[in-house]
Amino acid sequence: QVQLVESGGGLVQVGGSLRLSCVPSRNINSMKAIGWYRQAPGNERESVAVITSIGFPNYADSVKGRFTISRDNGENTVYLQMNSLKPEDTGVYYCYAQIGTTQYWGQGTQITVSS
């Protein structure tokens, strides 16, 4: 089994930046995609940014131009650089990975953007 260990998150002011990291508990050779979903109170979980095994990123329209996802292939670590944060970015961010046909989720980390 694989655990997705998240770090980063916290409280930030509008316009600020944060960087999230997600580190799988072991090396993975069959990673299909990895990235983040988020869930705001009262809302469903939504995809934020996902990068495929060949490095193709997919961003939610709401974060395009502000968030950047990248991956360290050697360590299987994925980063989400979040700039120009807005209050609507507030929520719990979950690292997500598809390994083979199996989906994995991190524990979630709270991000609060205050105005």
Side-chain angles (χ1 to χ4, degrees), residues 14-84:
V14 169
S17 298
L18 289 171
R19 189 181 72 166
L20 299 179
S21 300
C22 179
V23 185
S25 59
R26 60 177 176 85
N27 291 331
I28 300 168
N29 295 322
S30 57
M31 183 86 76
K32 301 300 181 184
I34 189 167
W36 276 269
Y37 283 60
R38 70 185 178 191
Q39 187 168 19
N43 295 105
E44 65 182 10
R45 192 173 298 184
E46 64 175 349
S47 177
V48 177
V50 177
I51 189 166
T52 69
S53 61
I54 60 172
F56 182 81
N58 186 29
Y59 297 97
D61 288 342
S62 60
V63 307
K64 286 182 178 178
R66 300 188 297 119
F67 291 11
T68 303
I69 189 169
S70 60
R71 188 173 67 192
D72 182 338
N73 292 326
E75 298 182 2
N76 289 312
T77 301
V78 66
Y79 303 95
L80 183 66
Q81 179 67 46
M82 303 182 291
N83 298 325
S84 302

